[in-house]
Amino acid sequence: QVQLVESGGGLVQPGGSLRLSCAASGNTFSINLMGWYRQAPGKERDLVATITKGGSTNYADSVKGRFTISRDSAKNTLYLQMNSLKPEDTAVYYCKAVYMTVFASWGQGTQVTVSS
């Protein structure tokens, strides 16, 4: 199994930046893909960005050019650098890991609020 713990959320003004972290533990060698998702109140959980074991990345159109997903394999940590934040980026952000191809683990989520 893989366990995930997110950190780094908070309150930020529009135009500001935040960096989220997701620390993975357990069978991290079996992780195929990791990603960030977000869920705003009353809405479904949506994809933000993913990164494969090989380093290929994918972004939602709404965050392209503003957010960057990266990972530190030595630290088993996933990051999401968020710049030029907008009020519509307000949501709970979740980290996800797909491992052994068919299994998935989620973190507990971290709140990001963009407001003046």
Side-chain angles (χ1 to χ4, degrees):
Q1 291 186 346
V2 173
Q3 294 79 40
L4 305 170
V5 178
E6 301 104 331
S7 61
L11 173 64
V12 63
Q13 292 186 342
S17 298
L18 277 177
R19 188 177 80 157
L20 305 183
S21 299
C22 172
S25 60
N27 293 333
T28 57
F29 65 91
S30 64
I31 293 175
N32 308 109
L33 176 145
M34 295 189 76
W36 290 98
Y37 293 72
R38 65 186 181 187
Q39 187 167 19
K43 296 188 177 181
E44 295 184 350
R45 190 173 298 186
D46 293 327
L47 169 73
V48 176
T50 60
I51 185 166
T52 68
K53 191 173 184 177
S56 297
T57 59
N58 180 54
Y59 295 91
D61 288 343
S62 59
V63 306
K64 281 181 181 177
R66 300 188 299 123
F67 291 11
T68 302
I69 189 170
S70 64
R71 64 181 186 188
D72 185 331
S73 298
K75 295 181 179 180
N76 291 320
T77 301
L78 179 74
Y79 301 101
L80 184 68
Q81 177 66 44
M82 305 186 293
N83 299 327
S84 303
L85 283 161
K86 305 175 181 180
E88 51 264 42
D89 294 318
T90 296
V92 178
Y93 283 71
Y94 296 91
C95 175
K96 177 183 179 180
V98 175
Y99 62 101
M100 298 177 66
T101 307
V102 298
F103 299 103
S105 289
W106 292 89
Q108 81 286 354
T110 185
Q111 176 70 47
V112 172
T113 302
V114 184
S115 175
S116 55

